[in-house]
Amino acid sequence: MTKYSEHIKKAAEILPKGAFLTTKHNDKINTMTIGWGTFGFQWGVPTAEVMVRESRFTKKLIDGSMEFTLTFPYDESMKAALSYCGQKSGRDCDKIADMGLLMVDAKETNTPVVACKGLALECKIIAKTEMTAELTDSSVLEKWYKNGDLHTIYYSKVVACYEMD
Ligand SMILES: Cc1cc2nc3c(=O)[nH]c(=O)nc-3n(C[C@H](O)[C@H](O)[C@H](O)COP(=O)(O)O)c2cc1C
């Protein structure tokens, strides 16, 4: 197995426990917790897909920059930060400062990475799809979208993938 496949396998295992989706547009940097996503190979490149609801501040930033980074912590040290960044909005506060998160420059994107013992993915968006109620099964709508607030799915090319100490 190549190192990339090993990394992606780990990312998929960690994702349900929470990962940081970091965005930067103009000078504003924000991070939010995600638990859903996929990894694959589409349009001839390795891809990562994330789902962001309309209401998220992240949506505004990601639509502006068309790139993002992901951080998958390997241990429990980021548990409190993942919880905070999954409840508070960057619209109302500076989550990165509030949690004292260390941000490091990315290798291939302008968006930094949350530094921790874990895995980093740097991603450039190559396509996005806005979900519509008409094209979504009613069981999914009833369970996950009672109040609307549908997801946009961002398909990205993974331009860098590496472990951090
Ligand atoms: C474990 C966990 C997983 C989450 N996964 C997602 C997700 O995949 N997509 C999404 O839009 N929101 C998700 N959220 C909710 C956002 O993290 C939350 O609404 C956050 O406050 C949005 O921040 P923002 O307004 O700064 O973008 C998740 C929250 C938690 C706690």
Side-chain angles (χ1 to χ4, degrees):
M1 209 194 302
T2 65
K3 203 150 199 161
Y4 180 70
S5 319
E6 284 170 34
H7 286 341
I8 291 306
K9 192 165 173 273
K10 259 190 206 169
E13 280 165 15
I14 296 168
L15 184 60
K17 290 186 255 168
F20 294 103
L21 163 59
T22 304
T23 45
K24 177 182 177 189
H25 182 50
N26 297 328
D27 283 332
K28 182 73 187 170
I29 303 172
N30 184 51
T31 193
M32 81 166 204
T33 303
I34 59 162
W36 291 1
T38 52
F39 306 98
F41 195 77
Q42 289 153 286
W43 300 290
V45 294
T47 58
E49 287 77 48
V50 293
M51 302 176 71
V52 179
R53 289 189 194 256
E54 191 65 40
S55 61
R56 311 300 186 224
F57 183 57
T58 295
K59 174 96 174 54
K60 189 177 151 74
L61 300 188
I62 203 170
D63 283 338
S65 69
M66 292 298 276
E67 63 169 41
F68 60 90
T69 67
L70 297 173
T71 299
F72 299 86
Y74 281 170
D75 56 32
E76 301 288 292
S77 59
M78 288 288 151
K79 210 172 163 185
L82 283 168
S83 171
Y84 190 78
C85 296
Q87 293 174 63
K88 301 280 182 181
S89 176
R91 215 177 271 115
D92 312 315
C93 62
D94 182 343
K95 291 186 263 186
I96 293 167
D98 291 352
M99 293 311 291
L101 293 176
L102 177 65
M103 307 302 293
V104 290
D105 284 345
K107 299 175 197 283
E108 301 291 339
T109 60
N110 291 319
T111 306
V113 173
V114 175
C116 68
K117 186 173 168 47
L119 181 70
L121 261 66
E122 299 177 9
C123 305
K124 293 202 174 177
I125 295 163
I126 48 179
K128 63 177 180 176
T129 307
E130 287 178 13
M131 288 180 68
T132 61
E134 297 72 38
L135 297 178
T136 304
D137 188 79
S138 59
S139 63
V140 172
L141 289 175
E142 275 156 33
K143 182 158 185 191
W144 298 103
Y145 303 100
K146 276 208 176 75
N147 303 319
D149 202 10
L150 293 170
H151 283 101
T152 296
I153 305 165
Y154 294 89
Y155 300 81
S156 74
K157 176 181 177 181
V158 179
V159 291
C161 175
Y162 48 93
E163 289 184 301
M164 301 176 287
D165 297 324

